[in-house]
Amino acid sequence: MVFAASYLAVHLLAAPVAVPPGVPAPEKVSNDWAAAPPLGRKDIHNTVRDILAEEHAELAQVPRRHEADTLRGDKYDSFAADFEEAAVPGCLRPDALKRQPPRIGMLGLGGLLGLPFVLLAKIRGKCN
């Protein structure tokens, strides 16, 4: 695929271009790169080092938005998560049925069909 694309590019660049009357002809592209001396190992090393330093500087300026989303092994955060999970939810909250899912066998119920399960969760003490 790469060979076909490069082959096509070479033929398109070599094809003559018709210039409409009144439009100045494009300038010839110089091949100064061919006459330049070859790069040494130090030149390449310095160029790569400069590019990496620029990218590192750009990455340092990017704000870290998802820093709080990472999982940490902090014992206090673990305790807070366990405490939040152990809390009994309110019956009018979206997570009211986390301890008693609205299901009959394999059939899950939601919306208005889930209201009797909220009443049942309140009677059983699964929500406040």
Side-chain angles (χ1 to χ4, degrees):
M1 184 69 158
V2 174
F3 174 74
S6 61
Y7 185 73
L8 177 66
V10 167
H11 282 288
L12 287 176
L13 289 175
V17 178
V19 179
V23 176
E27 296 179 18
K28 292 282 185 183
V29 177
S30 65
N31 290 335
D32 291 339
W33 58 271
L39 293 175
R41 191 176 200 116
K42 283 187 176 182
D43 295 331
I44 294 172
H45 177 73
N46 291 337
T47 304
V48 169
R49 188 183 65 223
D50 292 343
I51 291 172
L52 290 176
E54 288 175 9
E55 288 180 358
H56 181 65
E58 290 174 5
L59 287 176
Q61 294 174 355
V62 175
R64 295 181 180 168
R65 293 176 290 196
H66 300 290
E67 199 169 82
D69 295 346
T70 60
L71 295 175
R72 296 186 310 187
D74 191 10
K75 62 182 178 181
Y76 298 110
D77 290 339
S78 174
F79 176 75
D82 291 343
F83 187 79
E84 183 68 30
E85 179 65 29
V88 178
C91 289
L92 299 178
R93 295 190 52 188
D95 62 343
L97 297 176
K98 76 176 185 180
R99 304 230 180 263
Q100 181 175 331
R103 271 188 261 153
I104 299 176
M106 297 295 289
L107 180 66
L109 303 173
L112 293 176
L113 296 176
L115 285 178
F117 289 93
V118 174
L119 180 63
L120 188 61
K122 178 68 177 170
I123 292 170
R124 289 184 177 171
K126 304 287 184 176
C127 67
N128 290 331

